[in-house]
């Protein structure tokens, strides 16, 4: 119960769909391919359940080209400039797949593999998936063994816990790439969603979306979401950062209060749909959150509702290390060494308001 065959993966392997549910009427669907969140059904202010995650109703579209809907991204989420980095004096060259850079781990990142089932307990609404990336995979050093755990709690929290070990020094940046629409999948854009990002600064980028290597205060810019603001209020402004990102596609710096333990998530963002009252709060142990407004959707993808996905039909809150951090000494380090596991926790908590 809670597990069913979803299709065959690219190498002929079985891909299963898992359903995590709680007594509050919330359920989350995950498939083994890409450790992908395919749906999240949440009651709105009237009690009507709505799917608030963009995705597909069958496996085939996930195997084709799409902008990483709902998947775990790795080895390195976001971009690495020029497809290369230096670690301990050695230069590592990676596949180029995005305007001269490496995006989301290369040409075949973690989102393009079927993860193995480690544990599934429907009664506890808990799923553990694993993936082993061999030494040299997409140019990255070290054999990396990764596990991601999805847990749906009685408090309507979808907890995502990442764990990874390596046998050689390497770089790691893992995130989930779910696109949310709190009015419901297929209902249109998210421009009326009211967003708060609990951050005073962000990483400005070049035209190719590589960070300049510094942080910029959000004050006086359309990237200031310290107070609840409709996403569409300033997205069409001619600010150079919005032009370069074709909308919002920026990493915000999450400053932990003094004395906060490293393993304690902090409040990163809150977003609310005024149409449904559904609220999403994001908490994380990561130093950054990439806010992305689905700027690449071009009406070529069709969701389970039968609607095509257009620009700004979903938003991502990708908790992660900063883009290009292996080449940016001022950013928090993404280096992982043998004997010290990588751990990270993100919580997406669903709620409702009037």
């Amino acid at each position: 119960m809670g597990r069913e065959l979803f299709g065959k993966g690219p190498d002929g392997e079985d891909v299963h769909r898992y359903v995590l549910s709680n007594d509050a009427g919330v359920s989350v669907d995950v498939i083994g391919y890409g450790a992908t969140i395919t749906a999240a059904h949440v009651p709105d202010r009237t009690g009507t359940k709505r799917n608030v995650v963009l995705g597909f109703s069958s496996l085939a579209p996930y195997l084709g080209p799409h902008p990483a809907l709902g998947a775990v991204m790795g080895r390195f989420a976001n971009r690495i400039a020029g497809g290369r980095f230096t670690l301990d004096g050695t230069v590592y060259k990676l596949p180029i797949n995005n305007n001269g850079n490496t995006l989301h781990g290369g040409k075949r990142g973690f989102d393009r593999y079927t993860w193995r089932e480690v544990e599934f307990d429907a009664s506890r609404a808990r799923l553990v998936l694993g993936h082993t990336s061999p030494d040299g995979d997409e140019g990255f050093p070290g054999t990396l063994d990764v596990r991601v755990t999805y847990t749906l709690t009685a408090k309507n929290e979808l907890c995502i816990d990442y764990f990874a070990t390596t046998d050689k020094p390497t770089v790691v940046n893992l995130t989930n790439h779910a696109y949310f629409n709190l009015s419901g999948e297929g209902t249109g854009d998210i421009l009326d969603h009211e967003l708060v990002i609990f951050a005073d600064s962000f990483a400005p980028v070049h035209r190719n979306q590589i960070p300049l290597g510094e942080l910029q205060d959000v004050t006086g810019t359309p990237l200031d979401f310290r107070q609840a603001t409709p996403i569409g209020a300033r997205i069409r402004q001619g600010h150079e950062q919005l032009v370069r990102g074709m909308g919002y596609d920026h990493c915000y710096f999450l400053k932990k209060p003094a004395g906060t333990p490293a393993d304690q998530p902090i409040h990163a963002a809150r977003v609310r749909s005024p149409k449904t009252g559904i609220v999403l709060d994001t908490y994380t142990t990561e130093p950054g959150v990439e806010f992305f407004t689905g700027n690449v959707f071009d009406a070529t993808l069709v969701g389970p509702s039968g609607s095509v996905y257009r620009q700004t039909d979903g938003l991502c809150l990708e908790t992660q290390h900063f883009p290009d951090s292996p080449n940016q000494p001022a950013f928090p380090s993404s280096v992982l060494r043998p004997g010290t596991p990588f751990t990270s926790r993100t919580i997406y908590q669903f709620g409702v308001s009037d």
Side-chain angles (χ1 to χ4, degrees):
M1 184 177 181
R3 180 203 290 114
E4 64 179 3
L5 184 64
F6 195 62
K8 294 288 186 179
D11 302 314
E13 71 281 12
D14 289 345
V15 175
H16 289 92
R17 176 169 59 188
Y18 306 86
V19 179
L20 309 177
S21 58
N22 65 15
D23 293 338
V26 173
S27 64
V28 176
D29 295 359
V30 180
I31 60 172
Y33 185 72
T36 299
I37 299 171
T38 61
H41 295 91
V42 181
D44 66 12
R45 64 162 67 92
T46 69
T48 301
K49 290 186 182 180
R50 296 179 181 267
N51 175 21
V52 297
V53 169
L54 306 192
F56 304 120
S57 56
S58 65
L59 181 60
Y62 286 107
L63 302 180
H66 65 89
L69 269 69
V72 169
M73 312 311 298
R75 288 188 188 195
F76 198 93
N78 220 308
R79 294 169 176 84
I80 294 180
R84 63 174 57 204
F85 66 93
T86 302
L87 178 59
D88 296 340
T90 299
V91 177
Y92 294 95
K93 298 181 180 179
L94 315 173
I96 300 298
N97 65 337
N98 181 259
N99 298 323
N101 306 305
T102 300
L103 175 65
H104 293 325
K107 294 182 178 179
R108 192 178 184 188
F110 289 0
D111 59 315
R112 294 292 172 175
Y113 287 90
T114 300
W115 292 48
R116 66 184 181 273
E117 179 185 320
V118 177
E119 177 189 343
F120 176 57
D121 188 338
S123 65
R124 296 171 58 199
R126 171 184 165 90
L127 171 66
V128 184
L129 298 171
H131 176 65
T132 300
S133 174
D135 184 23
D137 186 19
E138 295 294 290
F140 290 93
T143 298
L144 191 75
D145 189 64
V146 184
R147 293 189 181 189
V148 59
T149 301
Y150 293 105
T151 308
L152 181 63
T153 74
K155 296 180 180 179
N156 298 335
E157 301 164 315
L158 177 61
C159 302
I160 309 176
D161 291 288
Y162 303 92
F163 180 89
T165 58
T166 184
D167 60 359
K168 293 181 182 178
T170 191
V171 295
V172 176
N173 191 21
L174 303 176
T175 193
N176 184 276
H177 210 284
Y179 290 81
F180 296 99
N181 185 320
L182 303 184
S183 296
E185 182 277 331
T187 61
D189 63 56
I190 45 78
L191 296 179
D192 66 339
H193 284 35
E194 300 156 356
L195 175 68
V196 180
I197 299 178
F198 299 98
D200 298 328
S201 58
F202 72 100
V205 296
H206 293 286
R207 290 189 181 276
N208 60 359
Q209 292 297 101
I210 295 298
L212 300 175
E214 60 191 33
L215 296 179
Q216 180 177 331
D217 194 322
V218 298
T219 302
T221 77
L223 288 93
D224 188 350
F225 285 95
R226 289 174 295 183
Q227 301 295 324
T229 304
I231 291 170
R234 298 168 299 196
I235 197 171
R236 305 301 181 196
Q237 290 185 10
H239 190 278
E240 65 175 3
Q241 287 298 307
L242 295 181
V243 173
R244 292 174 182 179
M246 297 188 298
Y248 293 105
D249 189 4
H250 296 84
C251 196
Y252 287 76
F253 177 59
L254 304 173
K255 186 176 181 180
K256 283 196 170 186
T260 303
D263 61 352
Q264 179 177 322
I266 62 171
H267 204 176
R270 166 174 285 189
V271 61
R272 173 184 176 272
S273 165
K275 293 177 182 175
T276 65
I278 294 175
V279 177
L280 175 66
D281 284 290
T282 300
Y283 303 83
T284 187
T285 57
E286 289 295 292
V289 59
E290 183 90 4
F291 170 47
F292 180 49
T293 46
N295 310 323
V296 295
F297 288 128
D298 59 2
T300 59
L301 302 175
V302 181
S305 64
S307 298
V308 297
Y309 292 151
R310 298 181 181 275
Q311 189 179 43
T312 68
D313 277 0
L315 67 94
C316 295
L317 293 167
E318 309 163 46
T319 56
Q320 58 185 256
H321 272 59
F322 278 36
D324 197 37
S325 56
N327 297 312
Q328 304 280 359
F331 290 169
S333 175
S334 58
V335 174
L336 180 66
R337 298 186 180 277
T340 303
F342 170 89
T343 60
S344 176
R345 166 169 270 213
T346 291
I347 300 172
Y348 291 121
Q349 184 172 29
F350 299 102
V352 68
S353 68
D354 294 333

